[in-house]
C-alpha cells in the first residue's frame, strides 16, 4: 500500500521554484533514498513533506488522505517522524527531555518505544541527564532519530543523516536504520548526497 | 537593632515587590519575545477584578484574589488571540473576504488584502511594544470611563507586627512568602511539566518543535495566558495596599522592566537573582537616604547592567559556564 505520495509538487522560497512537478511514491515498509548534490533541493523536499514549507501546487497524500493543507504539527501527529538536517536537537533540554519531545508525534498511539530506542542507542540512556548541546555530532544524530522514533511513527524522514559524522558512526546508524525498518516496520524516506549510506540502506 | 530589622523588612518588601511585578512580564518576554507594555494594565485588571469580587460579588478575599488572577489570565488569552497572534481577526477576515469581494465592484475588490490581516507579534520586539502600548492607553482610559477615577479599596488583612517603636504590616510578610512560593512554582512548571518542557523547546527552535507535533500556537497562547495570570495575581495581591485608580499599573513598571533587563533571558533564575540584587540595593539606599534615592539607585543599576552585562545576569552566567566547559 502507498503510504506517502507526492504528485506534481512544486515548491519555492519566494517565487524561485526549487522543486518542479515532483512525483514520488513510498510504499509501506519500504526504505527509499533520494540522492542529489548539494543545493538541488533535498531538504526542500523533506520540508515540503513534513509541512514546514507549503507547496505552490500539487498534492501530498499520506495514508490515502490529502494532507497538502495541513500544518507540520498536524502531519507529525498523524505519524510522521522528521529528522532535520543538522539534527536540530534542543541544546538546552536534557537528552531525556529531547526524546520526550517526540511523544507528540503519532498522537493515535500512547505507547512509547523508550526501551527499543535505548536498545538501539544505549549512549543516550547513559547521557540522559546531560544537556543535548554537549553531545557530539554523531550522538546528536542518534538523539534526533530517537526523538523521531519514540512515538512509533509509520514514516521516518531523514535529511542527510551522514552529514558531518565519522564514517564508523555512519555505518552504525545505517545498520540501526535497517534494523528499525526490519523490527518495527517503520517506513523510511531519506535524502543523501553521497552513495556511502545508500549502500547499506538498499531498497 | 531596630534599624537592622527595618532594613531586613525593607529588603523583603523590595524583593517581593520586584518578583511579583516582574514575573508575568519575564515569562511573556522570555518565551514569546513579546514586550508587553500593557503589563501594568494587566495588573490593573487583576486588582480591579479582585476588588470588585469582594465589594460587588461578596467573595472572601482569598477567593477574590484567585478570581482576579483567573480573570486576568482569560483576558490575556483574548488579547493573545486578537492582538498578539492575530488569529481571531484573521479567522474573521478569511470568511468575510470572499463575500466582501463578491459584493464589491471588481476594482474595489482588487485592493482588499487576500492573505491574513495580522502577522503574529512573536519575536518582534519593537512591533509588540507599539501594539501593547496602544492597548495600555485604551485600557487606562477604558477603566476611567467605566469605573471613574477610583474605586473603593478592600481592607488590608492580618494587622501589624510590632517591634520596639516600629510596626510592620503582617500582610507584607505574606507577600514576601508568596513571592518565594511563586518563584518555586514557576521553576517547577518550566522544569518538570510537559507544558514547561515544550515551552522551552519552542523558545529554542519553534520550527523543529512544530515538526515534532507541538502545536506551537497553543503553547504561545498558554504562555501568554500564564504570564497574564501572574500579572493579575500581582494586582490581586496588591489590591489591599495600593490605591485603586486606573493608573495603578504604572507604579510596577520601573521595577518590572529593570528586573527583566538585569535578569536576562532565563525567567526564574534571572528574576530571582535580579530581585535579590536590586532589592538589596533599593532597600539599602531607601533606608539610608529615603525612597527617592532608592529608585535612583535602582535606575543607575539598570544602566550599569545594560552597559556591562548586556545579556543580563543569566547571560553572564551562561558565558562563564561555556568558557569553563571549553577549558575542561
Ligand atoms: N529558506 C530559504 N530561503 C530561500 N532559499 C532557500 C532557503 N533554503 C534553501 N534555499 C535554496 O534552495 C535551494 C535548495 O536548498 P536545499 O536546502 O533544499 O538543498 P539541499 O539539496 O538540501 O542541499 P544540501 O545538500 O547542501 O543540504 C538552494 O539553492 C538554497 O540556496
Ligand atoms: Mg539539505
Amino acid at each position: 500500500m502507498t503510504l506517502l505520495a507526492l504528485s506534481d509538487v512544486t515548491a519555492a522560497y519566494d517565487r524561485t521554484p526549487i522543486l518542479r512537478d515532483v512525483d514520488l511514491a513510498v510504499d509501506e515498509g519500504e526504505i527509499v533514498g533520494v540522492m542529489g548534490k548539494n543545493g538541488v533541493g533535498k531538504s526542500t523536499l523533506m520540508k515540503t513533506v513534513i509541512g514546514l514549507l507549503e507547496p505552490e501546487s500539487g498534492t501530498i497524500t499520506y495514508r490515502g488522505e490529502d494532507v497538502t493543507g495541513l500544518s507540520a504539527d498536524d502531519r507529525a501527529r498523524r505519524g510522521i517522524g522528521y529528522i532535520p538536517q543538522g539534527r536540530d536537537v534542543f541544546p538546552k533540554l536534557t537528552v531525556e527531555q529531547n526524546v520526550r519531545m517526540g511523544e507528540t508525534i503519532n498522537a493515535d498511539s500512547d505507547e512509547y518505544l523508550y526501551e527499543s530506542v535505548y536498545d538501539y542507542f544505549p549512549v543516550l540512556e547513559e547521557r540522559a541527564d546531560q544537556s543535548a548541546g554537549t553531545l557530539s555530532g554523531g550522538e546528536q544524530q542518534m538523539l534526533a532519530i530517537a526523538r523521531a522514533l519514540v512515538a512509533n511513527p509509520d514514516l521516518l524522514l531523514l535529511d542527510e543523516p551522514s552529514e558531518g559524522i565519522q564514517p564508523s558512526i555512519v555505518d552504525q546508524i545505517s545498520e540501526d536504520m535497517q534494523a528499525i525498518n526490519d523490527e518495527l516496520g517503520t517506513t523510511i524516506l531519506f535524502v543523501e548526497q553521497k552513495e556511502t549510506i545508500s549502500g547499506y540502506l538498499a531498497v | 537593632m531596630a534599624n537592622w530589622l527595618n532594613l531586613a523588612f525593607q529588603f523583603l518588601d523590595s524583593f517581593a515587590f520586584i518578583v511579583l511585578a516582574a514575573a508575568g512580564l519575564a515569562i511573556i518576554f522570555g518565551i514569546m519575545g513579546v514586550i508587553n507594555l500593557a503589563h501594568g494594565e494587566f495588573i490593573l485588571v487583576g486588582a480591579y477584578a479582585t476588588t470588585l469580587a469582594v465589594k460587588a460579588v461578596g467573595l472572601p478575599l482569598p477567593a477574590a484574589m484567585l478570581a482576579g488572577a483567573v480573570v486576568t489570565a482569560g483576558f490575556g488569552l483574548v488579547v493573545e488571540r486578537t492582538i498578539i497572534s492575530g488569529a481571531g481577526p484573521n479567522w474573521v477576515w478569511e470568511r468575510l473576504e470572499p463575500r466582501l469581494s463578491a459584493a464589491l465592484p471588481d476594482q474595489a475588490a482588487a485592493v482588499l488584502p487576500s492573505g491574513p490581516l495580522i502577522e503574529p507579534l512573536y519575536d518582534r520586539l519593537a512591533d509588540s511594544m507599539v501594539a501593547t502600548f496602544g492597548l495600555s492607553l485604551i485600557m487606562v482610559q477604558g477603566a476611567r470611563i467605566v469605573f471613574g477615577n477610583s474605586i473603593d479599596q478592600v481592607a488590608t488583612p492580618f494587622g501589624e507586627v510590632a517591634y520596639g517603636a516600629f510596626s510592620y504590616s503582617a500582610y507584607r510578610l505574606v507577600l514576601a512568602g508568596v513571592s518565594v512560593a511563586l518563584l518555586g512554582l514557576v521553576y517547577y512548571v518550566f522544569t518538570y511539566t510537559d507544558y514547561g518542557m515544550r515551552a522551552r523547546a519552542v523558545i529554542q527552535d519553534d520550527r523543529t518543535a512544530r515538526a515534532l507535533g507541538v502545536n506551537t500556537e497553543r503553547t504561545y497562547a498558554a504562555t501568554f495566558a500564564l504570564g497574564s495570570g501572574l500579572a493579575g495575581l500581582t494586582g490581586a495581591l496588591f489590591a489591599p495596599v495600593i490605591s485603586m485608580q486606573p493608573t495603578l499599573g504604572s507604579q510596577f513598571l520601573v521595577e518590572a522592566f529593570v528586573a527583566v533587563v538585569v535578569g536576562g533571558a532565563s525567567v526564574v533564575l534571572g528574576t530571582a537573582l535580579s530581585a535579590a540584587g536590586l532589592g538589596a540595593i533599593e532597600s539599602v539606599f531607601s533606608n539610608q537616604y529615603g525612597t527617592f534615592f532608592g529608585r535612583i539607585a535602582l535606575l543607575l543599576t539598570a544602566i550599569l547592567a545594560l552597559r556591562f552585562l548586556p545579556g543580563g545576569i543569566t547571560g553572564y552566567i551562561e558565558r562563564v559556564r561555556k568558557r569553563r566547559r571549553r577549558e575542561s
Side-chain angles (χ1 to χ4, degrees), chain A residues 47 50 52 72-73 76-77 80 82 84 87-88 90-93 97 100-105 131 134 147-148, chain B residues 190-194 196-198 200-202 204-216 218 318 325:
Chain A
K47 284 179 197 161
I50 188 63
L52 288 173
D73 52 307
R77 286 196 297 273
I80 306 181
Y82 170 60
R87 284 63 92 171
D88 290 347
F90 301 107
K92 292 183 192 162
L93 297 187
Q97 286 176 322
R100 264 171 61 207
M101 282 299 297
E103 288 184 2
T104 32
I105 296 171
S131 59
T134 61
R147 183 176 69 178
Chain B
F190 283 102
T191 314
Y192 295 108
T193 66
D194 279 356
M197 177 181 78
R198 286 188 194 130
R200 291 202 294 144
V202 168
Q204 291 170 47
D205 184 347
D206 63 337
R207 284 168 61 88
T208 302
R210 210 150 13 99
L212 295 172
V214 176
N215 186 334
T216 48
R218 203 184 298 161
E318 185 76 7
R325 210 179 295 139

Side-chain angles (χ1 to χ4, degrees), chain B residues 76-118:
Chain B
L77 193 60
V78 173
V79 169
E80 205 280 339
R81 293 286 82 191
T82 50
I83 298 172
I84 310 293
S85 71
N90 290 343
W91 187 87
V92 171
W93 182 244
E94 203 184 307
R95 273 147 197 81
L96 198 64
E97 195 260 345
R99 276 184 229 172
L100 212 56
S101 53
L104 290 173
D106 281 354
Q107 256 171 331
V111 298
L112 292 177
S114 60
L117 282 184
I118 299 178

